Amino acid sequence: MPTENTPSRRDEGEQTALEQDLLRTLESEIASNRLVLPTLPEIALRVRELMAQPDCSATQLARLISSDAALAARLLKVANSSRYRGHKTIDSIQSAITRLGMQLVRSLVTQLALLQSLHGGAADIGRQLAVLSRHSLEIGAHCHALAQCYTKLDPEEALLAGLVHDIGKLPLLLRLRSLGGTGETADRLARRLHGRVGAMVLEAWHFTPEMVAVAAGHEDVQRNPYGAPDYTDVVLLAHLLLHLRHNRQQPWAEQLPVFRKLRRSPQQMLDDDVLAQHTRAALERLST
């Protein structure tokens, strides 16, 4: 017999009907491009647009980045970190660009602007946003370490892939809030649809097809494209390792294509102290 705190079959049926109505509404908006997508933080957009110009100079780039004091300060902190530090401390954005290189600065600016965006705003979905932010940081840190230790991929681009892989959840959670979907219902629907929406967001931001593929395919544990590991593989692997750290006895993981592609077992990666050290360092950088 149901207790006072146990939902009745009628309540469960009403919840299911509500969820289906919300799902149909969202899918209709997605199909007709009526779902409002977030915009890339302005400073990141302006940096990416400037760097797309063939005559972009380090001086122009430094002037633009310096217009955002918080972003400039964080970029200097990265340039002076143990990973990139040279013989002396630098205190200008132009020097940071010289030390890091323009392409790395482009990736770092996008990362830092996204972190600012995740940490602020959208107060009406505060709990979900906090969970999304923390998860994105953890996946990003793992991606950086995995790319550095096991692949020839750019670790900073891998970190960026980790930060944006769930970006589709943000507009979904905001829209669900306005439609009356809250709590577990909103979380379930966001999980179900975020890959499709995330790909739309990254396409709208003019990210590369390789990054768009990350949003669309990072939960497909059976994906097995030919060739070397790509950024989607790294994000998928980061997800799997986080899961396995909490649920070690998972023999099915041994057979997944992504582990075979890297020629390492899940246990070898879980026991890799160097990988763990790089992950902690990347997470520390992202969290400060």
Side-chain angles (χ1 to χ4, degrees):
M1 178 179 296
T3 67
E4 184 178 344
N5 295 321
T6 303
S8 66
R9 290 184 179 178
R10 179 179 176 181
D11 290 337
E12 290 176 347
E14 290 175 350
Q15 290 173 1
T16 301
L18 171 63
E19 196 166 313
Q20 290 301 317
D21 285 344
L22 291 171
L23 179 60
R24 282 191 291 269
T25 298
L26 288 169
E27 288 188 324
S28 174
E29 292 183 357
I30 292 167
S32 59
N33 290 320
R34 289 185 289 115
L35 184 68
V36 177
L37 302 178
T39 57
L40 187 65
E42 182 181 1
I43 185 65
L45 179 62
R46 292 171 64 194
V47 165
R48 294 173 76 88
E49 288 176 344
L50 176 61
M51 293 191 65
Q53 300 175 12
D55 58 348
C56 171
S57 69
T59 301
Q60 291 174 306
L61 185 58
R63 188 181 303 120
L64 176 56
I65 293 171
S66 298
S67 68
D68 186 312
L71 182 63
R74 294 198 68 182
L75 186 62
L76 282 173
K77 187 172 184 178
V78 173
N80 286 308
S81 67
S82 58
R83 176 171 173 78
Y84 300 109
R85 185 171 55 233
H87 296 298
K88 64 178 182 178
T89 300
I90 58 176
D91 58 6
S92 75
I93 294 299
Q94 181 121 10
S95 297
I97 294 171
T98 300
R99 173 174 291 178
L100 299 171
M102 293 180 69
Q103 291 304 317
L104 177 53
V105 167
R106 177 177 178 269
S107 179
L108 288 170
V109 165
T110 307
Q111 292 174 27
L112 296 171
L114 284 169
L115 288 172
Q116 288 181 4
S117 179
L118 284 172
H119 285 314
D124 57 339
I125 55 166
R127 181 190 66 82
Q128 292 101 323
L129 186 63
V131 172
L132 173 61
S133 177
R134 181 63 189 175
H135 176 68
S136 297
L137 295 182
E138 289 183 338
I139 294 296
H142 276 78
C143 288
H144 190 283
L146 287 164
Q148 190 173 6
C149 292
Y150 297 142
T151 79
K152 296 181 179 179
L153 297 170
D154 181 345
E156 296 300 337
E157 284 294 294
L159 191 157
L160 181 58
L163 290 182
V164 301
H165 78 285
D166 271 351
I167 197 66
K169 288 183 178 179
L170 185 55
L172 285 169
L173 290 171
L174 289 168
R175 185 67 180 111
L176 282 162
R177 177 78 174 188
S178 70
L179 292 171
T182 58
E184 293 183 4
T185 296
D187 288 341
R188 274 196 299 271
L189 291 178
R191 285 196 300 270
R192 181 167 178 171
L193 297 172
H194 76 279
R196 288 165 57 189
V197 176
M200 292 168 59
V201 172
L202 296 184
E203 284 179 343
W205 290 356
H206 304 295
F207 274 53
T208 63
E210 199 170 16
M211 283 289 182
V212 173
V214 167
H218 66 271
E219 292 186 342
D220 180 7
V221 296
Q222 294 299 333
R223 76 183 301 270
N224 191 20
Y226 294 105
D230 58 21
Y231 291 110
T232 305
D233 286 325
V234 170
V235 175
L236 170 60
L237 192 55
H239 269 274
L240 289 168
L241 290 178
L242 276 177
H243 173 76
L244 291 171
R245 282 200 175 90
H246 299 289
N247 305 273
R248 286 228 171 201
Q249 301 303 317
Q250 302 288 334
W252 50 265
E254 295 274 354
Q255 305 305 315
L256 295 181
V258 70
F259 288 108
R260 295 202 303 271
K261 180 181 280 192
L262 271 74
R263 299 179 182 177
R264 286 173 175 81
S265 71
Q267 195 61 52
Q268 284 176 315
M269 290 190 176
L270 290 171
D271 293 341
D272 187 336
D273 291 336
V274 174
L275 179 66
Q277 180 181 349
H278 284 307
T279 302
R280 286 193 298 270
L283 186 58
E284 181 179 356
R285 192 190 90 191
L286 289 170
S287 301
T288 57

